[in-house]
Amino acid sequence: MAKLVSVNVGLPRDLSWRGKTVHTGIWKSAVAGRVHARTLNLEGDGQGDLLGHGGVHRAVYVYQLASYRHWEAQLRRSDFTFGQFGENFTVDGLPDDEVCVGDQFEIGSAVFEVSAPRVTCYRVGIRLDEPRMAALLTASGRPGFYLRVLREGDVGAGDEITLVGQAKERMTIAEVNALLYSPHHPREKLEKALRLPALSPGWKGSFQALLENRGSGNAGLAPAYASRPARPGFAPHRVMRVQQEAVDVLSFDLAPPADAELPAALPGQFIVLRLRTDPTKPPLFRSYSLSGLPSAEVRRISVKLEPHGVAGAFLSQKVRVGDTLDASAPRGSFVLQPGKGPVVLLSAGIGATPVMAMLHALVAESSEREVWWLHAARNKRGHAFAAESRALVKALKRCHGQVLYSRPEGGDRLGVDFDRPGHFDAGVFAALGVPTAAEVYLCGPSAFNEAMTATLAVLGVAPERVHTEIFAGGSPLNPGVVAGPRRAPHLPEGAPATGPMVSFARSGLSTRWDPTRYRSLLELAEACDVPVRWSCRTGVCHNCESGLLLGEVAYDPEPLDAPAEGNVLVCCSRPKGDVVVDV
């Protein structure tokens, strides 16, 4: 019979790691006596990152003595103590290749149910002083597993573990773990996993994504922004038209070469331009949303002319009709989803560009959906696409338009040029009757996006219905890292390197690779304060998966499941030559 060998708890603490402060509960220590098992966790225990650990479905983490022995041999170590892997229960028995999701166990006076394998992260590597540990745990088939608490009670070292309920659908922890993280995702096993009533919702969501997307890569792990990979490379596009849209906005109609075989864009996607502004310097890379009717023949981009913007100045002053510009294939996952429900297109300033493409697409298909066009501008001079958007709104049977000017000027006509002064807020949305069940597509400056996201949440719009596009570098994801002042992307400190050129397209930064200073593109990005997203840092979780616009990389370690073609895992990759990454 299996036995509870040790009960381990620990509260989160701050520690210094690679120049950062990490808030983590990975340090667990054995406790004497009885401990109360509660719905959310054990008494005296806590988690530093509640998005990834803890909660109803991850109340208790279990790891086995046999796995301890395995790692002692593999890592040639003998210094482990109970709680070393961050587990709450160290057990003798209950191997991952025998325990099934949904099995129920009585320990002491409490009853538990197996909910999912452990989702590993970089912090176990910190705890073991082994950076590869996140990948090693997952690849070994010994991840350990989480329990939910079905009946609260007291537990203690020495308690016997009694099986009191067995899952009808039998899938072991090792099988479920391999189904998500290995390259093999058989349909019949995905369908079986989705039938497991005890499997935690996050895992079910990943398996559903794998079932629906059978392309390359791992759709169950890839973040939304990397879910629509595109072919790397650039093709020359001929400038067919230049149009002034507002005092500081220019549109360019670009025609790709007929033999390029580039796909038609989806409404909301963007392209990346490679601009050779100075023959003595590396090219600039800039991302621009497509603002016109999605087409394979003509791609319209609209560019905000910033006071000191090098790319905007080059495009406005140097580029003329008949010139060519190097452009990527359309990319990005901020796209209009099919459906019949209401749609809200909410934008500010130049943020109108991707939602203009969506509005064009809805008109082109004579959509019967209820559509809300909500746009904020400073005044008429800064109101891009004013006449065009009004005409499109009128062309839809069930479209409501509302334009707000925050600083209207003397000649701006209320009821003609704009509908009301001020800013969008909960009161304006309520007065307009904007439906809370709508799919919302939100794009604008960061402050506007943050304010609108908070407002929509207050109004009751479900977070999964709010789709946001972010200009320039996106929001970082660094779980457990205590946030400090955010710096704009910059060249790394120290002497210039001489390796391949690495360009971070969204951040507008190019720098040379130094193999003596960096082990991965992630480490280079961090040295430049380029916002990046990661969790495992070893090619397991795919949070860092991003578009690879140009070049090739080598992996170390090799990812457990390769990213989609056209994407790259920046956490464990190194450039083979010049590369351009969509971060």
Side-chain angles (χ1 to χ4, degrees), residues 291-370:
S291 58
L293 178 65
S295 165
E297 289 75 34
V298 178
R299 309 195 191 285
R300 184 178 76 173
I301 61 169
S302 301
V303 180
K304 175 75 177 295
L305 306 179
E306 302 289 355
H308 304 289
V310 177
F314 173 77
L315 289 168
S316 63
Q317 298 170 18
K318 302 294 185 180
V319 176
R320 299 291 180 262
V321 171
D323 292 344
T324 59
L325 295 172
D326 290 341
S328 73
R331 45 199 324 121
S333 58
F334 181 71
V335 297
L336 180 66
Q337 301 296 320
K340 297 182 179 180
V343 174
V344 174
L345 306 177
L346 175 58
S347 60
I350 194 62
T353 51
V355 291
M356 274 295 295
M358 297 180 185
L359 188 60
H360 269 289
L362 290 165
V363 171
E365 66 184 40
S366 300
S367 177
E368 298 286 340
R369 301 175 74 173
E370 184 179 7

Side-chain angles (χ1 to χ4, degrees), residues 48-65:
D49 170 24
L50 293 176
L51 292 177
H53 305 281
V56 171
H57 303 294
R58 299 172 297 212
V60 177
Y61 173 48
V62 177
Y63 211 55
Q64 304 91 350
L65 274 181

Side-chain angles (χ1 to χ4, degrees), residues 75-363:
L75 302 177
R76 299 180 181 180
R77 291 177 57 170
S78 58
D79 58 339
F80 292 153
T81 59
F82 293 142
Q84 189 82 41
F85 292 83
E87 80 275 12
N88 300 113
F89 289 171
T90 313
V91 300
D92 188 3
L94 305 186
D96 289 341
D97 59 358
E98 293 182 12
V99 170
C100 292
V101 172
D103 285 348
Q104 297 176 3
F105 298 97
E106 185 176 52
I107 309 174
S109 59
V111 175
F112 304 88
E113 182 177 55
V114 178
S115 59
R118 178 201 185 132
V119 177
T120 192
C121 69
Y122 74 105
R123 282 157 290 197
V124 71
I126 298 177
R127 180 68 178 89
L128 274 79
D129 193 26
E130 172 48 77
R132 302 172 299 154
M133 205 64 218
L136 293 174
L137 276 175
T138 306
S140 69
R142 297 173 178 270
F145 54 87
Y146 291 115
L147 299 174
R148 61 171 62 90
V149 179
L150 298 182
R151 184 180 74 205
E152 295 190 352
D154 294 334
V155 298
D159 286 349
E160 292 185 344
I161 302 174
T162 304
L163 179 68
V164 294
Q166 199 170 54
K168 293 182 179 179
E169 288 274 9
R170 306 297 291 166
M171 283 194 78
T172 68
I173 289 296
E175 285 180 293
V176 174
N177 178 74
L179 184 60
L180 180 58
Y181 289 110
S182 78
H184 309 294
H185 318 287
R187 172 176 288 274
E188 63 275 11
K189 286 201 171 184
L190 292 172
E191 292 172 343
K192 182 178 180 179
L194 287 168
R195 293 195 300 268
L196 301 176
L199 186 63
S200 62
W203 282 77
K204 283 191 173 182
S206 293
F207 289 140
Q208 186 64 46
L210 279 167
L211 194 62
E212 294 173 357
N213 187 340
R214 308 297 289 176
S216 67
N218 191 317
L221 294 173
Y225 62 84
S227 62
R228 295 183 183 272
R231 187 175 64 190
F234 292 83
H237 286 53
R238 185 177 177 83
V239 179
M240 306 300 292
R241 185 176 74 107
V242 180
Q243 174 74 31
Q244 190 89 34
E245 304 288 359
V247 66
D248 56 357
V249 177
L250 279 180
S251 285
F252 297 82
D253 284 3
L254 308 177
D259 59 352
E261 298 183 356
L262 295 176
L266 298 172
Q269 289 191 305
F270 64 90
I271 59 175
V272 179
L273 296 188
R274 178 171 58 188
L275 303 174
R276 304 184 186 278
T277 60
D278 186 335
T280 66
K281 296 180 180 179
L284 298 179
F285 295 91
R286 294 292 186 270
S287 301
Y288 295 109
S289 295
L290 297 165
S291 58
L293 178 65
S295 165
E297 289 75 34
V298 178
R299 309 195 191 285
R300 184 178 76 173
I301 61 169
S302 301
V303 180
K304 175 75 177 295
L305 306 179
E306 302 289 355
H308 304 289
V310 177
F314 173 77
L315 289 168
S316 63
Q317 298 170 18
K318 302 294 185 180
V319 176
R320 299 291 180 262
V321 171
D323 292 344
T324 59
L325 295 172
D326 290 341
S328 73
R331 45 199 324 121
S333 58
F334 181 71
V335 297
L336 180 66
Q337 301 296 320
K340 297 182 179 180
V343 174
V344 174
L345 306 177
L346 175 58
S347 60
I350 194 62
T353 51
V355 291
M356 274 295 295
M358 297 180 185
L359 188 60
H360 269 289
L362 290 165
V363 171

Side-chain angles (χ1 to χ4, degrees), residues 71 182 206 246 281 319 321 401 409 419 451 472 486 490 492 516 561 570:
W71 294 117
S182 78
S206 293
K281 296 180 180 179
V319 176
V321 171
E409 297 177 332
D419 299 294
R486 185 171 175 181
H490 56 84
T516 66
D561 194 3
V570 299

Side-chain angles (χ1 to χ4, degrees), residues 364-453:
E365 66 184 40
S366 300
S367 177
E368 298 286 340
R369 301 175 74 173
E370 184 179 7
V371 179
W372 295 77
W373 173 260
L374 308 178
H375 181 66
R378 189 167 287 183
N379 47 50
K380 183 179 179 179
R381 291 190 305 119
H383 184 184
F385 316 112
E388 182 179 342
S389 60
R390 279 195 295 269
L392 292 170
V393 167
K394 290 180 181 179
L396 286 169
K397 294 180 180 179
R398 303 175 63 200
C399 190
H400 314 270
Q402 191 76 187
V403 175
L404 273 62
Y405 284 178
S406 60
R407 299 179 187 176
E409 297 177 332
D412 297 347
R413 298 165 295 173
L414 182 65
V416 178
D417 300 315
F418 68 109
D419 299 294
R420 67 177 72 196
H423 302 272
F424 285 108
D425 56 26
V428 172
F429 289 140
L432 294 174
V434 177
T436 58
E439 296 291 327
V440 180
Y441 297 88
L442 168 63
C443 188
S446 296
F448 176 81
N449 289 349
E450 291 171 4
M452 292 301 96
T453 299

